[in-house]
C-alpha cells in the first residue's frame, strides 16, 4: 500500500530506541545496587527509576523475567566468536569466556547477588537457563561434534560427558571455590590436559620385513639338491 505521493507509509508503532532500553536496564541495575531484591522489584518501580512509562518496558519485554535476564547479560562478557581454526582453538575460546564471566561475577557484588537470588526463583532460573545457559552448552557440543567428524576427537566418547569435563574446572573455580585462582592461561591448560587422553590414538603401521629366501638359493653359490 502506498500514499498519494507514491511512498510507502511509515511502519505502525514506535521504533525501538536503544536509549530507552539502556535507561531501563540501567534503572534496574540502580535498584539492585540500592539493595532492592528481585522479589521486590516491579515493572512500576523500574519504570519510575528509568524515567519511562510501563508501556515502554512491556513493548520490549513481555514480563519481568525477560528483563532480568537481559540485565544480567548486559553485565556479562559477550558470547565469543569462535575462530574455527581447530577444535582445540574453539574450546580454548569457549573456556576463556567462562573464565572472564567468573572474574566478572567476583568483581561485581551486585551480579553475584543477582545470580544467587535468581536461583531461588524457579521460574526466573528456568528462563535464564533456556535462553543463556543452553545456547552456550549447545555451542560447546557443536565444537566437539565437529572435532569428532574432523578426526580431532575419539569417536567412542559421550559428547555430553566430554563437554562437562571441559567446563567443569572453570565452573568449580567460579562457583564452588570462589577463593580459587582464575589466572590467564587456565583455559589453555584445561583444554591441552584433557585432549592428551581424548585425541584418537595414532595409527601404527606394521613394519614390513624382507622375505627369507630358501637356503639353497642361487646367490649362495650352492646347487639345488636333485637327481644327477
Amino acid at each position: 500500500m502506498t500514499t498519494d505521493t507514491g511512498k510507502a507509509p511509515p511502519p505502525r508503532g514506535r521504533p525501538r530506541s536503544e536509549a530507552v532500553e539502556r535507561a531501563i536496564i540501567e534503572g534496574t541495575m540502580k535498584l539492585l545496587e540500592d539493595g532492592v531484591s528481585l522479589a521486590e522489584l516491579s515493572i512500576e518501580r523500574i519504570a519510575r527509576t528509568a524515567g519511562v512509562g510501563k508501556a515502554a518496558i512491556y513493548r520490549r519485554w513481555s514480563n519481568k523475567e525477560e528483563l532480568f535476564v537481559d540485565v544480567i547479560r548486559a553485565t556479562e562478557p559477550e558470547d565469543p566468536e569462535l575462530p574455527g581454526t581447530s577444535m582445540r582453538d574453539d574450546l580454548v575460546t569457549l573456556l576463556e569466556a567462562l573464565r572472564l564471566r567468573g572474574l566478572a561475577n567476583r568483581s561485581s557484588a551486585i551480579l553475584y547477588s543477582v545470580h544467587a537470588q535468581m536461583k531461588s526463583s524457579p521460574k526466573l532460573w528456568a528462563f535464564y537457563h533456556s535462553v543463556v545457559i543452553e545456547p552456550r552448552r549447545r555451542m560447546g557440543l557443536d565444537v566437539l561434534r565437529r572435532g569428532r567428524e574432523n578426526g580431532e576427537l575419539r569417536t567412542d566418547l559421550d559428547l555430553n560427558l566430554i563437554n562437562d569435563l571441559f567446563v567443569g574446572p572453570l565452573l568449580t573455580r567460579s562457583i564452588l571455590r570462589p577463593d580459587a585462582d582464575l589466572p590467564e592461561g587456565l583455559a589453555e591448560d584445561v583444554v591441552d590436559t584433557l585432549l592428551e587422553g581424548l585425541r584418537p590414538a595414532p595409527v601404527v603401521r606394521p613394519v614390513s620385513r624382507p622375505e627369507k629366501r630358501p637356503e639353497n638359493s642361487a646367490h649362495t653359490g650352492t646347487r639345488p639338491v636333485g637327481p644327477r
Side-chain angles (χ1 to χ4, degrees):
M1 178 179 177
T2 59
T3 63
D4 293 339
T5 61
K7 296 181 181 181
R12 300 180 62 184
R14 297 181 182 179
R16 290 172 62 90
S17 168
E18 292 184 3
V20 172
E21 291 184 6
R22 186 166 59 251
I24 294 169
I25 289 177
E26 290 177 354
T28 306
M29 286 301 298
K30 182 181 185 305
L31 290 171
L32 294 171
E33 290 171 356
D34 291 342
V36 179
S37 68
L38 293 179
E40 296 172 329
L41 281 177
S42 65
I43 295 297
E44 292 82 1
R45 196 169 185 178
I46 294 170
R48 286 198 305 270
T49 304
V52 301
K54 290 192 298 182
I57 297 178
Y58 283 118
R59 276 197 299 269
R60 293 161 175 80
W61 297 278
S62 60
N63 52 53
K64 187 169 67 173
E65 286 75 23
E66 290 185 7
L67 171 57
F68 289 160
V69 169
D70 276 354
V71 169
I72 295 171
R73 295 178 74 174
T75 62
E76 292 184 344
E78 293 184 2
D79 289 338
E81 182 176 348
L82 301 181
T85 50
S86 68
M87 180 185 69
R88 188 257 180 197
D89 292 344
D90 287 350
L91 288 171
V92 168
T93 300
L94 289 175
L95 294 196
E96 177 63 10
L98 277 180
R99 187 184 75 88
L100 294 177
R101 287 191 181 93
L103 291 174
N105 288 345
R106 291 181 183 181
S107 62
S108 172
I110 299 301
L111 189 57
Y112 183 85
S113 174
V114 168
H115 273 111
Q117 293 183 62
M118 187 170 56
K119 291 179 182 179
S120 65
S121 171
K123 182 179 179 181
L124 183 56
W125 177 247
F127 186 76
Y128 179 78
H129 193 275
S130 66
V131 301
V132 178
I133 296 179
E134 272 303 310
R136 291 171 182 169
R137 181 174 180 81
R138 287 196 297 271
M139 187 183 300
L141 289 172
D142 288 343
V143 169
L144 295 174
R145 193 173 293 110
R146 289 194 299 270
R148 183 171 62 184
E149 293 171 355
N150 296 335
E152 299 174 83
L153 191 68
R154 284 164 40 194
T155 59
D156 61 330
L157 300 171
D158 181 341
L159 295 187
N160 283 288
L161 174 61
I162 300 308
N163 188 65
D164 291 344
L165 290 177
F166 277 108
V167 302
L170 275 298
L171 294 180
T172 297
R173 293 197 179 198
S174 299
I175 300 173
L176 299 181
R177 295 179 55 205
D179 59 330
D181 290 336
L182 288 169
E184 292 186 15
L186 179 61
E188 289 89 342
D189 290 344
V190 171
V191 170
D192 291 338
T193 299
L194 288 172
L195 285 183
E196 284 294 322
L198 299 177
R199 287 193 179 98
V203 178
V204 179
R205 300 183 181 278
V207 179
S208 58
R209 297 180 179 179
E211 296 182 1
K212 288 185 177 181
R213 297 188 179 186
E215 293 182 1
N216 296 329
S217 59
H219 75 279
T220 60
T222 58
R223 295 181 180 178
V225 177
R228 295 183 180 179

